[in-house]
Amino acid sequence: MKLIPERHYFVIGHGWWLGFRHRHPEITLRKPEPLAANRASSKCIWNLDEKGFQLSHNPPLVAARRGMKSLPSRVSSSRESITVLGCGNAEGLAMCPLVIVSRKTERCLQAYDHSKGPIQAQWTYQEKGYMTEKILLDWFNNIFLHTVLTGFNHLMSLFLDQWADHIHRHAMST
C-alpha cells in the first residue's frame, strides 16, 4: 500500500484541538523532555478519523425576497450516505482513504465511479454505510499495519478519537 503523494497535506485546526481537549480532559499540554533527533520522528504519530457524507442534493443559497417564510427546492428522496476513513501522520503524510458505501453485497461497489473518488481509495460496503468494528480491524490489519511495517521501522502511535462505538479497547493491541 502506497502513501498518497505529498501534495495532499492536511492541517489540524485550533477548533479540533479544543474539542479534543474537551472530550479528553485527562490530556494536557506539557513541556517534553529532550530526545535525540535520530530517536524521534513525527512520522510515527498517526491520527485516524471518519466522516459521513449524505449523497442527496443539497441546494445552494438562492436570491429571495426578504421576509419570505418558505422557499421550496426540489431534492432527491434518497437518504444514501457514505463514510470516508482518513489517516495521516504528524509529518503531513496521508494513507489511502477507505470509502464505505451503504449496500448489502460486494457487487454494489461496481455502481460507483472510483475514478471520481479520493485518490488511491480503498472501497468497501456495509448495509447502512457505517463504520463497524470488523471494517476498522480489516483496515487496521490490511492497510495501516501493512503501510507502517513496510515503510517505517519505528514504534507507531495511532490516535482514534471518539471510537468507543466502533471497537473494543483491546482489539487493536499490537
Side-chain angles (χ1 to χ4, degrees), residues 77-161:
S77 61
S78 169
R79 295 197 180 266
E80 187 175 2
S81 65
I82 63 170
T83 299
V84 178
L85 176 81
C87 184
N89 70 6
E91 194 168 83
L93 297 175
M95 289 189 184
C96 303
L98 175 67
V99 179
I100 305 164
V101 300
S102 54
R103 293 289 192 260
K104 294 183 180 181
T105 65
E106 187 172 357
R107 185 174 174 206
C108 72
L109 295 175
Q110 298 170 2
Y112 291 88
D113 185 356
H114 296 203
S115 67
K116 292 184 179 176
I119 297 172
Q120 298 177 350
Q122 302 294 310
W123 293 72
T124 191
Y125 63 96
Q126 194 272 342
E127 186 173 349
K128 295 186 178 182
Y130 298 156
M131 175 61 65
T132 64
E133 182 174 9
K134 180 189 179 317
I135 292 173
L136 181 61
L137 289 176
D138 285 348
W139 174 87
F140 179 75
N141 291 316
N142 299 320
I143 296 177
F144 181 79
L145 287 181
H146 176 75
T147 302
V148 299
L149 293 177
T150 57
F152 302 92
N153 58 357
H154 303 305
L155 185 63
M156 299 289 154
S157 296
L158 176 62
F159 291 91
L160 305 115
D161 189 22

Coordinates of all heavy atoms in Angstrom, one line a residue, residues 77-161:
S77 N -35.2 12.1 -2.9 CA -35.7 11.5 -1.7 C -34.7 10.5 -1.2 O -35.0 9.8 -0.2 CB -37.0 10.8 -2.0 OG -36.8 9.8 -3.0
S78 N -33.5 10.3 -1.8 CA -32.5 9.4 -1.4 C -31.9 9.8 -0.1 O -31.6 11.0 0.1 CB -31.4 9.2 -2.4 OG -30.4 8.5 -1.9
R79 N -31.7 8.9 0.8 CA -31.0 9.2 2.1 C -29.7 8.4 2.1 O -29.1 8.1 3.1 CB -31.9 8.8 3.3 CG -33.1 9.6 3.4 CD -33.7 9.4 4.8 NE -34.9 10.2 4.9 CZ -34.9 11.4 5.4 NH1 -33.8 12.0 5.7 NH2 -36.1 12.1 5.5
E80 N -29.1 8.1 0.9 CA -27.9 7.4 0.8 C -26.7 8.2 1.4 O -26.7 9.4 1.2 CB -27.6 7.0 -0.7 CG -26.5 6.1 -0.9 CD -26.3 5.7 -2.3 OE1 -27.1 6.1 -3.2 OE2 -25.4 4.9 -2.6
S81 N -25.8 7.4 2.0 CA -24.7 8.1 2.6 C -23.5 7.2 2.4 O -23.6 6.0 2.2 CB -24.9 8.4 4.1 OG -25.0 7.2 4.8
I82 N -22.3 7.8 2.5 CA -21.1 7.1 2.5 C -20.3 7.6 3.7 O -20.5 8.6 4.3 CB -20.2 7.3 1.3 CG1 -19.8 8.8 1.1 CG2 -20.9 6.8 0.0 CD1 -18.8 9.0 0.0
T83 N -19.3 6.8 4.2 CA -18.4 7.1 5.2 C -17.0 7.1 4.6 O -16.6 6.1 3.9 CB -18.5 6.2 6.4 OG1 -19.8 6.2 6.9 CG2 -17.5 6.5 7.5
V84 N -16.2 8.1 4.9 CA -14.8 8.1 4.5 C -13.9 8.0 5.7 O -14.1 8.9 6.6 CB -14.5 9.3 3.6 CG1 -13.0 9.3 3.2 CG2 -15.4 9.3 2.4
L85 N -12.9 7.1 5.7 CA -12.0 7.0 6.8 C -10.6 7.5 6.4 O -10.1 7.1 5.3 CB -11.9 5.5 7.2 CG -10.8 5.2 8.3 CD1 -11.4 5.4 9.6 CD2 -10.4 3.7 8.2
G86 N -10.1 8.5 7.1 CA -8.8 9.1 6.7 C -7.8 8.9 7.8 O -8.2 8.9 9.0
C87 N -6.6 8.8 7.4 CA -5.5 8.6 8.4 C -4.3 9.3 7.9 O -3.8 9.1 6.8 CB -5.2 7.1 8.6 SG -4.0 6.8 9.9
G88 N -3.7 10.2 8.8 CA -2.5 10.9 8.4 C -1.6 11.0 9.6 O -1.9 10.7 10.8
N89 N -0.3 11.3 9.3 CA 0.7 11.4 10.4 C 1.0 12.8 10.7 O 0.6 13.8 10.0 CB 1.9 10.5 10.2 CG 2.8 11.0 9.1 OD1 2.6 12.1 8.5 ND2 3.8 10.2 8.8
A90 N 1.8 13.1 11.8 CA 2.1 14.4 12.2 C 3.1 15.1 11.2 O 3.2 16.3 11.3 CB 2.8 14.4 13.6
E91 N 3.7 14.4 10.3 CA 4.5 15.0 9.3 C 3.8 15.4 8.1 O 4.3 16.1 7.2 CB 5.6 14.0 8.9 CG 6.7 14.6 8.1 CD 7.9 13.6 8.0 OE1 7.9 12.8 7.1 OE2 8.8 13.7 8.8
G92 N 2.5 15.1 8.0 CA 1.6 15.5 6.9 C 1.4 14.5 5.8 O 0.7 14.7 4.9
L93 N 1.9 13.2 6.0 CA 1.6 12.2 5.1 C 0.3 11.6 5.4 O -0.1 11.4 6.5 CB 2.7 11.1 5.2 CG 4.1 11.5 4.8 CD1 5.1 10.3 5.1 CD2 4.2 11.9 3.4
A94 N -0.5 11.2 4.3 CA -1.8 10.6 4.5 C -1.8 9.2 3.8 O -1.3 9.0 2.8 CB -2.8 11.5 3.9
M95 N -2.5 8.3 4.5 CA -2.7 7.0 3.9 C -3.9 7.0 3.0 O -4.7 7.9 3.0 CB -3.0 5.9 5.0 CG -1.8 5.6 5.9 SD -2.2 4.2 6.9 CE -0.7 4.2 7.9
C96 N -3.9 6.0 2.1 CA -5.1 5.9 1.2 C -6.4 5.9 2.0 O -6.5 5.1 2.9 CB -4.9 4.7 0.3 SG -3.4 4.6 -0.6
P97 N -7.4 6.7 1.7 CA -8.6 6.7 2.4 C -9.4 5.4 2.2 O -9.3 4.7 1.1 CB -9.3 7.9 1.9 CG -8.8 8.2 0.6 CD -7.4 7.7 0.6
L98 N -10.3 5.1 3.1 CA -11.2 4.0 2.9 C -12.6 4.6 2.8 O -13.1 5.4 3.6 CB -11.2 3.1 4.2 CG -12.2 1.9 4.2 CD1 -11.9 0.9 3.1 CD2 -12.2 1.3 5.6
V99 N -13.3 4.2 1.7 CA -14.7 4.6 1.5 C -15.7 3.5 1.7 O -15.5 2.4 1.2 CB -14.9 5.1 0.0 CG1 -16.3 5.6 -0.3 CG2 -13.9 6.2 -0.3
I100 N -16.7 3.7 2.6 CA -17.7 2.7 2.9 C -19.0 3.2 2.4 O -19.5 4.2 2.7 CB -17.8 2.6 4.5 CG1 -16.4 2.3 5.1 CG2 -18.8 1.5 4.8 CD1 -16.4 2.5 6.6
V101 N -19.5 2.3 1.5 CA -20.8 2.7 0.8 C -21.9 1.9 1.5 O -21.7 0.9 2.1 CB -20.8 2.4 -0.7 CG1 -19.7 3.2 -1.4 CG2 -20.6 0.9 -1.0
S102 N -23.1 2.4 1.4 CA -24.3 1.7 2.0 C -25.0 0.8 1.0 O -25.8 1.2 0.2 CB -25.3 2.8 2.5 OG -25.7 3.6 1.5
R103 N -24.6 -0.5 1.1 CA -25.1 -1.5 0.2 C -25.0 -2.9 1.0 O -24.3 -2.9 2.0 CB -24.3 -1.6 -1.1 CG -24.5 -0.4 -2.0 CD -25.9 -0.4 -2.6 NE -26.0 0.6 -3.6 CZ -26.6 1.8 -3.5 NH1 -27.0 2.2 -2.4 NH2 -26.7 2.6 -4.6
K104 N -25.6 -3.9 0.4 CA -25.6 -5.2 1.1 C -24.6 -6.2 0.5 O -24.3 -7.2 1.1 CB -27.0 -5.8 1.0 CG -28.0 -5.0 1.8 CD -29.3 -5.7 1.9 CE -30.3 -4.8 2.7 NZ -31.6 -5.4 2.8
T105 N -24.1 -6.0 -0.8 CA -23.2 -7.0 -1.4 C -22.0 -6.3 -2.0 O -22.1 -5.1 -2.3 CB -24.0 -7.8 -2.5 OG1 -24.3 -6.9 -3.5 CG2 -25.2 -8.5 -2.0
E106 N -21.0 -7.1 -2.2 CA -19.7 -6.6 -2.8 C -20.0 -6.1 -4.2 O -19.3 -5.2 -4.7 CB -18.7 -7.6 -2.7 CG -17.3 -7.1 -3.2 CD -16.2 -8.1 -2.9 OE1 -16.5 -9.2 -2.4 OE2 -15.1 -7.8 -3.3
R107 N -20.9 -6.7 -4.9 CA -21.2 -6.4 -6.3 C -21.6 -4.9 -6.4 O -21.4 -4.3 -7.5 CB -22.3 -7.3 -6.8 CG -22.6 -7.1 -8.3 CD -23.6 -8.1 -8.7 NE -24.0 -7.8 -10.1 CZ -25.1 -8.2 -10.6 NH1 -26.0 -8.9 -10.0 NH2 -25.4 -7.9 -11.9
C108 N -22.2 -4.4 -5.4 CA -22.7 -3.0 -5.4 C -21.5 -2.0 -5.7 O -21.8 -0.9 -6.1 CB -23.4 -2.6 -4.1 SG -22.3 -2.5 -2.7
L109 N -20.3 -2.4 -5.3 CA -19.2 -1.4 -5.5 C -19.0 -1.1 -7.0 O -18.4 0.0 -7.3 CB -17.9 -2.0 -4.9 CG -18.0 -2.3 -3.4 CD1 -16.7 -3.0 -2.9 CD2 -18.1 -1.0 -2.6
Q110 N -19.5 -1.9 -7.9 CA -19.3 -1.6 -9.3 C -20.2 -0.4 -9.7 O -19.9 0.2 -10.8 CB -19.7 -2.8 -10.1 CG -18.8 -4.0 -9.9 CD -19.4 -5.3 -10.5 OE1 -20.4 -5.3 -11.1 NE2 -18.7 -6.4 -10.3
A111 N -21.2 -0.1 -9.0 CA -22.0 1.0 -9.3 C -21.4 2.4 -9.1 O -21.9 3.4 -9.5 CB -23.3 1.0 -8.5
Y112 N -20.3 2.5 -8.4 CA -19.6 3.7 -8.1 C -18.4 3.9 -9.0 O -17.7 3.0 -9.3 CB -19.1 3.7 -6.6 CG -20.2 3.7 -5.6 CD1 -20.8 2.6 -5.2 CD2 -20.7 4.9 -5.1 CE1 -21.9 2.6 -4.3 CE2 -21.8 5.0 -4.2 CZ -22.3 3.8 -3.8 OH -23.4 3.8 -2.9
D113 N -18.3 5.2 -9.5 CA -17.2 5.6 -10.3 C -16.0 5.9 -9.4 O -15.9 7.0 -8.9 CB -17.6 6.8 -11.2 CG -16.5 7.2 -12.2 OD1 -15.4 6.5 -12.2 OD2 -16.7 8.1 -13.0
H114 N -15.1 4.9 -9.2 CA -14.0 5.0 -8.3 C -13.0 6.1 -8.8 O -12.3 6.7 -7.9 CB -13.3 3.7 -8.2 CG -14.1 2.6 -7.6 ND1 -13.6 1.5 -6.9 CD2 -15.5 2.5 -7.5 CE1 -14.6 0.8 -6.5 NE2 -15.7 1.3 -6.8
S115 N -13.0 6.4 -10.0 CA -12.1 7.5 -10.5 C -12.5 8.9 -10.0 O -11.7 9.8 -10.0 CB -12.0 7.5 -12.1 OG -13.2 7.9 -12.6
K116 N -13.7 9.0 -9.6 CA -14.2 10.3 -9.1 C -14.1 10.4 -7.6 O -14.5 11.4 -7.0 CB -15.6 10.6 -9.6 CG -15.8 10.8 -11.1 CD -17.1 11.2 -11.5 CE -17.2 11.4 -13.0 NZ -18.6 11.7 -13.4
G117 N -13.6 9.3 -7.0 CA -13.5 9.3 -5.5 C -12.1 9.8 -5.1 O -11.3 10.2 -6.0
P118 N -11.8 9.6 -3.9 CA -10.4 10.0 -3.4 C -9.3 9.3 -4.1 O -9.5 8.1 -4.4 CB -10.5 9.7 -1.9 CG -11.9 9.6 -1.5 CD -12.6 9.2 -2.8
I119 N -8.2 9.9 -4.2 CA -7.0 9.3 -4.9 C -6.6 8.0 -4.1 O -6.5 8.0 -2.9 CB -5.8 10.2 -4.9 CG1 -6.2 11.4 -5.8 CG2 -4.6 9.6 -5.5 CD1 -5.2 12.6 -5.7
Q120 N -6.4 6.9 -4.9 CA -6.0 5.6 -4.3 C -6.9 5.1 -3.2 O -6.4 4.3 -2.4 CB -4.5 5.7 -3.9 CG -3.6 6.0 -5.0 CD -2.1 6.2 -4.4 OE1 -1.9 6.2 -3.3 NE2 -1.2 6.3 -5.4
A121 N -8.1 5.4 -3.2 CA -9.0 5.0 -2.1 C -9.3 3.5 -2.2 O -9.3 2.9 -3.3 CB -10.3 5.7 -2.2
Q122 N -9.5 2.9 -1.0 CA -9.9 1.5 -0.9 C -11.4 1.6 -0.7 O -11.9 2.5 0.0 CB -9.3 0.8 0.3 CG -7.8 0.8 0.2 CD -7.3 -0.1 -0.9 OE1 -7.7 -1.2 -1.1 NE2 -6.4 0.5 -1.8
W123 N -12.2 0.7 -1.3 CA -13.7 0.7 -1.2 C -14.2 -0.5 -0.5 O -13.7 -1.6 -0.8 CB -14.3 0.9 -2.6 CG -14.0 2.2 -3.2 CD1 -12.8 2.6 -3.8 CD2 -14.9 3.2 -3.5 NE1 -12.9 3.8 -4.3 CE2 -14.2 4.3 -4.1 CE3 -16.2 3.4 -3.2 CZ2 -14.8 5.5 -4.5 CZ3 -16.8 4.6 -3.6 CH2 -16.1 5.6 -4.2
T124 N -15.2 -0.4 0.3 CA -15.9 -1.5 0.9 C -17.3 -1.1 1.1 O -17.8 0.0 0.8 CB -15.2 -1.9 2.3 OG1 -15.8 -3.2 2.7 CG2 -15.4 -0.9 3.4
Y125 N -18.1 -2.0 1.7 CA -19.6 -1.8 1.8 C -20.0 -2.2 3.2 O -19.4 -3.1 3.8 CB -20.3 -2.5 0.7 CG -20.2 -4.0 0.8 CD1 -21.1 -4.8 1.5 CD2 -19.1 -4.6 0.2 CE1 -21.0 -6.1 1.5 CE2 -19.0 -6.0 0.3 CZ -19.9 -6.8 1.0 OH -19.7 -8.1 1.1
Q126 N -21.1 -1.7 3.6 CA -21.8 -2.0 4.8 C -23.3 -1.6 4.6 O -23.5 -0.6 3.9 CB -21.2 -1.3 6.0 CG -21.6 -1.8 7.4 CD -22.9 -1.2 7.9 OE1 -23.3 -0.1 7.5 NE2 -23.5 -1.8 8.9
E127 N -24.2 -2.4 5.2 CA -25.6 -2.2 4.9 C -26.1 -0.7 5.0 O -26.8 -0.2 4.2 CB -26.5 -3.1 5.8 CG -27.9 -3.0 5.4 CD -28.8 -4.0 6.2 OE1 -28.2 -4.9 6.8 OE2 -30.0 -3.9 6.1
K128 N -25.6 0.0 6.0 CA -26.0 1.4 6.2 C -24.9 2.4 5.9 O -25.1 3.6 6.1 CB -26.5 1.6 7.6 CG -27.8 0.8 7.9 CD -28.3 1.1 9.3 CE -29.6 0.3 9.5 NZ -30.2 0.6 10.8
G129 N -23.8 1.9 5.4 CA -22.7 2.8 5.1 C -21.9 3.3 6.3 O -21.2 4.3 6.3
Y130 N -22.0 2.5 7.4 CA -21.4 2.9 8.7 C -20.1 2.2 8.9 O -19.9 1.1 8.4 CB -22.3 2.6 9.9 CG -23.6 3.3 9.9 CD1 -24.7 2.8 10.6 CD2 -23.8 4.5 9.3 CE1 -25.9 3.4 10.7 CE2 -25.0 5.2 9.3 CZ -26.1 4.6 10.0 OH -27.3 5.3 10.1
M131 N -19.3 2.7 9.8 CA -18.1 2.1 10.2 C -18.5 1.0 11.2 O -19.3 1.2 12.1 CB -17.1 3.1 10.9 CG -15.9 2.5 11.5 SD -14.8 1.6 10.3 CE -14.3 3.0 9.3
T132 N -17.9 -0.2 11.1 CA -18.1 -1.2 12.1 C -16.7 -1.7 12.6 O -15.7 -1.4 12.1 CB -18.8 -2.5 11.5 OG1 -17.9 -3.0 10.5 CG2 -20.1 -2.1 10.9
E133 N -16.8 -2.5 13.7 CA -15.5 -3.0 14.3 C -14.8 -3.9 13.3 O -13.6 -3.8 13.1 CB -15.8 -3.8 15.6 CG -14.5 -4.3 16.2 CD -14.8 -5.0 17.6 OE1 -15.9 -5.2 17.9 OE2 -13.8 -5.3 18.2
K134 N -15.5 -4.7 12.5 CA -14.9 -5.6 11.5 C -14.2 -4.8 10.4 O -13.1 -5.1 10.1 CB -16.0 -6.5 10.9 CG -15.4 -7.4 9.9 CD -16.5 -8.2 9.1 CE -15.9 -9.1 8.1 NZ -14.9 -8.6 7.2
I135 N -14.9 -3.7 9.9 CA -14.3 -2.9 8.9 C -13.0 -2.2 9.4 O -12.0 -2.2 8.7 CB -15.3 -1.9 8.3 CG1 -16.4 -2.7 7.5 CG2 -14.6 -0.9 7.4 CD1 -17.5 -1.8 7.1
L136 N -13.1 -1.7 10.6 CA -12.0 -1.0 11.2 C -10.8 -1.9 11.4 O -9.7 -1.6 11.1 CB -12.4 -0.3 12.5 CG -11.2 0.5 13.2 CD1 -10.7 1.6 12.3 CD2 -11.7 1.0 14.5
L137 N -11.1 -3.1 11.9 CA -10.0 -4.1 12.1 C -9.4 -4.6 10.8 O -8.2 -4.7 10.7 CB -10.5 -5.3 13.0 CG -10.7 -4.9 14.4 CD1 -11.3 -6.1 15.2 CD2 -9.5 -4.4 15.1
D138 N -10.2 -4.8 9.8 CA -9.7 -5.1 8.5 C -8.8 -4.0 8.0 O -7.7 -4.2 7.4 CB -10.8 -5.3 7.5 CG -11.5 -6.7 7.7 OD1 -11.0 -7.5 8.4 OD2 -12.6 -6.8 7.1
W139 N -9.2 -2.7 8.1 CA -8.4 -1.6 7.7 C -7.1 -1.6 8.5 O -6.0 -1.4 7.9 CB -9.2 -0.3 7.9 CG -8.3 0.9 7.6 CD1 -8.1 1.5 6.4 CD2 -7.5 1.6 8.5 NE1 -7.2 2.5 6.5 CE2 -6.8 2.6 7.8 CE3 -7.2 1.5 9.9 CZ2 -5.9 3.5 8.4 CZ3 -6.3 2.4 10.5 CH2 -5.7 3.3 9.7
F140 N -7.2 -1.7 9.8 CA -6.0 -1.7 10.6 C -5.0 -2.8 10.2 O -3.8 -2.5 10.1 CB -6.4 -1.9 12.1 CG -5.3 -1.8 13.1 CD1 -4.6 -0.7 13.4 CD2 -4.8 -3.0 13.6 CE1 -3.6 -0.6 14.3 CE2 -3.7 -3.0 14.5 CZ -3.1 -1.8 14.8
N141 N -5.5 -4.0 10.1 CA -4.6 -5.1 9.7 C -4.0 -5.1 8.3 O -2.9 -5.4 8.1 CB -5.3 -6.4 10.0 CG -5.5 -6.7 11.5 OD1 -4.6 -6.4 12.3 ND2 -6.7 -7.1 11.9
N142 N -4.9 -4.7 7.4 CA -4.5 -4.8 5.9 C -3.9 -3.5 5.3 O -3.2 -3.6 4.4 CB -5.7 -5.3 5.1 CG -6.2 -6.7 5.6 OD1 -5.4 -7.5 5.9 ND2 -7.5 -6.8 5.6
I143 N -4.3 -2.4 5.9 CA -3.8 -1.1 5.3 C -2.8 -0.5 6.3 O -1.7 -0.2 5.9 CB -5.0 -0.2 4.9 CG1 -5.8 -0.9 3.8 CG2 -4.4 1.2 4.5 CD1 -7.0 -0.1 3.4
F144 N -3.3 -0.2 7.5 CA -2.4 0.6 8.4 C -1.1 -0.2 8.7 O 0.0 0.3 8.5 CB -3.1 0.9 9.7 CG -2.3 1.7 10.7 CD1 -2.1 3.0 10.5 CD2 -1.6 1.0 11.8 CE1 -1.2 3.7 11.4 CE2 -0.8 1.7 12.6 CZ -0.6 3.1 12.4
L145 N -1.3 -1.5 9.2 CA -0.1 -2.2 9.6 C 0.8 -2.5 8.4 O 2.0 -2.4 8.5 CB -0.5 -3.6 10.3 CG -1.0 -3.4 11.7 CD1 -1.3 -4.8 12.3 CD2 0.0 -2.7 12.6
H146 N 0.2 -2.8 7.2 CA 1.0 -3.1 6.0 C 1.8 -1.8 5.7 O 3.0 -1.9 5.3 CB 0.0 -3.5 4.9 CG 0.8 -3.7 3.6 ND1 1.6 -4.8 3.3 CD2 0.8 -2.9 2.5 CE1 2.1 -4.7 2.1 NE2 1.7 -3.5 1.6
T147 N 1.2 -0.7 5.7 CA 1.8 0.6 5.4 C 3.0 0.9 6.3 O 4.1 1.2 5.9 CB 0.8 1.7 5.3 OG1 -0.2 1.4 4.4 CG2 1.5 3.0 4.9
V148 N 2.7 0.8 7.6 CA 3.7 1.2 8.6 C 4.8 0.2 8.7 O 6.0 0.5 8.9 CB 3.2 1.6 10.0 CG1 2.2 2.8 9.9 CG2 2.5 0.4 10.6
L149 N 4.5 -1.1 8.5 CA 5.5 -2.1 8.6 C 6.4 -2.2 7.4 O 7.6 -2.6 7.5 CB 4.9 -3.5 8.8 CG 4.2 -3.7 10.2 CD1 3.5 -5.0 10.3 CD2 5.1 -3.5 11.3
T150 N 5.9 -1.7 6.2 CA 6.8 -1.7 5.0 C 7.5 -0.4 4.8 O 8.5 -0.4 4.2 CB 5.9 -2.1 3.8 OG1 4.9 -1.1 3.6 CG2 5.4 -3.5 3.8
G151 N 7.0 0.7 5.4 CA 7.6 2.0 5.1 C 8.3 2.6 6.3 O 9.0 3.6 6.1
F152 N 8.1 2.1 7.5 CA 8.7 2.7 8.6 C 9.3 1.6 9.5 O 8.8 0.5 9.6 CB 7.6 3.5 9.4 CG 6.9 4.5 8.6 CD1 5.7 4.2 7.9 CD2 7.4 5.8 8.5 CE1 5.1 5.2 7.2 CE2 6.8 6.7 7.8 CZ 5.7 6.4 7.1
N153 N 10.3 1.9 10.3 CA 10.9 1.0 11.2 C 10.9 1.4 12.6 O 11.9 1.1 13.4 CB 12.3 0.6 10.7 CG 13.2 1.8 10.6 OD1 12.8 2.9 10.9 ND2 14.5 1.6 10.3
H154 N 9.9 2.2 13.0 CA 9.8 2.7 14.4 C 8.5 2.3 15.0 O 7.6 1.8 14.4 CB 9.9 4.2 14.4 CG 11.0 4.9 13.7 ND1 12.3 4.6 14.1 CD2 11.1 5.7 12.7 CE1 13.2 5.2 13.3 NE2 12.5 6.0 12.5
L155 N 8.5 2.4 16.3 CA 7.2 2.2 17.1 C 6.2 3.3 16.6 O 6.6 4.4 16.5 CB 7.5 2.3 18.6 CG 6.3 2.0 19.5 CD1 5.9 0.6 19.3 CD2 6.8 2.2 20.9
M156 N 5.0 2.9 16.4 CA 4.0 3.9 15.9 C 2.9 4.1 17.0 O 2.6 3.3 17.8 CB 3.2 3.3 14.7 CG 4.1 3.0 13.5 SD 4.7 4.6 12.8 CE 6.2 4.0 12.0
S157 N 2.3 5.3 16.9 CA 1.2 5.7 17.8 C 0.0 6.0 16.9 O 0.2 6.8 16.0 CB 1.5 6.9 18.7 OG 2.6 6.6 19.6
L158 N -1.1 5.4 17.1 CA -2.3 5.7 16.3 C -3.4 6.3 17.3 O -3.8 5.6 18.2 CB -2.8 4.4 15.7 CG -4.1 4.5 14.9 CD1 -4.0 5.5 13.7 CD2 -4.5 3.2 14.4
F159 N -3.9 7.5 17.0 CA -4.9 8.1 17.8 C -6.2 8.0 17.1 O -6.4 8.3 16.0 CB -4.6 9.6 18.0 CG -3.4 9.9 18.9 CD1 -2.1 10.0 18.3 CD2 -3.5 10.0 20.2 CE1 -1.0 10.2 19.1 CE2 -2.4 10.2 21.0 CZ -1.2 10.3 20.5
L160 N -7.2 7.4 17.9 CA -8.6 7.2 17.4 C -9.5 8.0 18.4 O -9.7 7.6 19.5 CB -8.9 5.7 17.5 CG -8.0 4.8 16.8 CD1 -7.3 3.9 17.7 CD2 -8.7 4.0 15.8
D161 N -10.0 9.1 17.9 CA -10.9 10.0 18.7 C -12.3 9.6 18.5 O -12.8 9.4 17.4 CB -10.7 11.4 18.2 CG -11.3 12.4 19.2 OD1 -11.6 12.1 20.3 OD2 -11.6 13.5 18.7

